[in-house]
Amino acid sequence: MPHAADNRTLKHGCIVMASGVGARFGGNKLMAELCDAPLVGHVVRATDDLFSRRVVVTRHADVTALCETLGAQVILHDEPCRNDTVRLGMEAMDGCDTVTFVQGDQPLIRPTSIAALLRAAERDAAGAVRCDAAGCDAVGTALADTAEGGVAEDYAMELDAVECDVDAAAGCDAAESDVAGAAKHDAVGCNAAENGVARIWRTSFDGVPGAPVLFPSWAFDELRSLPRGKGGGFVAKAHAEYVRTIEVSSKWELFDVDTRDDLERLQTHVARCGSASLLR
């Protein structure tokens, strides 16, 4: 069954973030194995056939070699900070209407969940067309139906580590926002809605937001010029009233490996659940 967004009209890009140095893991965690394959390999395969453009951004030669064998474009770099990783990835996203950031240490993320983000963006853009026809005052109503089954909510978002180490823990300050904020006439309000996707879309489980995260084109300039050490969460937090979430099927989809204990937990989960936990 195809995973791509139905009736796709937008050009979607993907950046796989794979530059973490693995300080808490004690080495390159991205090449640690789960079910006889490196963590980052599971992630790359989960993004197959979903995007018009896809790039893996890494500072690891072994990750580069692996991802190239999997058919992914790779940017190998030696830049120090998270904002550098984002900027390098964005340089490969020319012509895209959206960019989805996928973490290289979330091996159980499902293609269906990533595709749900793309479908949400497609509906969002369709709502923007209706907004253009009905007038800016109707933007909140026009975009309200982009949520599937009522699971989309507003969240303030903080993915960034305070330190420049791109492997540092990402925090998340989730808070509900007013849906009426969609009708604001600011730099990313009606003008953004009229021009395409108005919302930042991210995955969540049980109301707790996580990654992957999809950004529309109005956020691209900010993503390219992030403050030192910051990631996409800096942009999303600045525009929290435009963040919406899509629920995934399991907390394990959003589980990221930061330590060897995390990897052991994941291995135990997969052993208990069998291959079903890795089904795409």
Side-chain angles (χ1 to χ4, degrees), residues 50-72:
L50 288 174
F51 297 96
S52 300
R53 290 180 181 270
R54 177 184 64 176
V55 65
V56 179
V57 186
T58 185
R59 57 163 59 92
H60 304 290
D62 49 359
V63 171
T64 298
L66 170 69
C67 293
E68 287 179 342
T69 65
L70 296 175

Side-chain angles (χ1 to χ4, degrees), residues 29 54 64 123 148 154:
K29 62 182 179 179
R54 177 184 64 176
T64 298
R123 292 190 181 97
E148 296 189 48
D154 294 322

Side-chain angles (χ1 to χ4, degrees), residues 175-220:
E176 293 186 1
S177 299
D178 187 358
V179 174
K184 290 182 179 179
H185 293 240
D186 60 15
V188 293
C190 282
N191 290 336
E194 290 171 358
N195 293 331
V197 181
R199 308 294 188 181
I200 296 169
W201 291 92
R202 67 178 304 184
T203 52
S204 68
F205 180 74
D206 200 21
V208 179
V213 185
L214 178 150
F215 289 91
S217 58
W218 56 257
F220 287 4

Side-chain angles (χ1 to χ4, degrees), residues 12-74:
H12 299 288
C14 174
I15 299 173
V16 179
M17 301 285 282
S19 294
V21 296
R24 286 178 290 164
F25 191 84
N28 182 7
K29 62 182 179 179
L30 299 168
M31 294 299 291
E33 291 198 352
L34 179 70
C35 296
D36 300 319
L39 300 182
V40 70
H42 291 293
V43 174
V44 170
R45 280 190 283 267
T47 64
D48 281 345
D49 303 320
L50 288 174
F51 297 96
S52 300
R53 290 180 181 270
R54 177 184 64 176
V55 65
V56 179
V57 186
T58 185
R59 57 163 59 92
H60 304 290
D62 49 359
V63 171
T64 298
L66 170 69
C67 293
E68 287 179 342
T69 65
L70 296 175
Q73 178 187 353
V74 181

Side-chain angles (χ1 to χ4, degrees), residues 17 24 82-83 86 99-103 105-106 155-174 200-204 208-215 223 226 229-238 243 245 254 256 258:
M17 301 285 282
R24 286 178 290 164
R82 190 175 185 85
N83 60 292
V86 173
V99 169
T100 299
F101 287 86
V102 182
Q103 304 302 312
D105 60 357
Q106 291 181 219
Y155 284 98
M157 175 179 170
E158 182 59 67
L159 295 177
D160 301 311
V162 175
E163 301 298 330
C164 280
D165 180 4
V166 295
D167 189 59
C172 180
D173 181 19
I200 296 169
W201 291 92
R202 67 178 304 184
T203 52
S204 68
V208 179
V213 185
L214 178 150
F215 289 91
L223 290 167
L226 289 165
K230 296 294 185 179
F234 181 85
V235 175
K237 188 175 183 181
V243 177
T245 61
L254 308 187
D256 61 313
D258 288 323

Side-chain angles (χ1 to χ4, degrees), residues 118-149:
L118 305 185
R119 286 194 298 271
E122 294 282 342
R123 292 190 181 97
D124 201 345
V129 172
R130 294 196 299 274
C131 169
D132 192 37
C136 276
D137 288 342
V139 64
T141 301
L143 295 176
D145 63 357
T146 59
E148 296 189 48

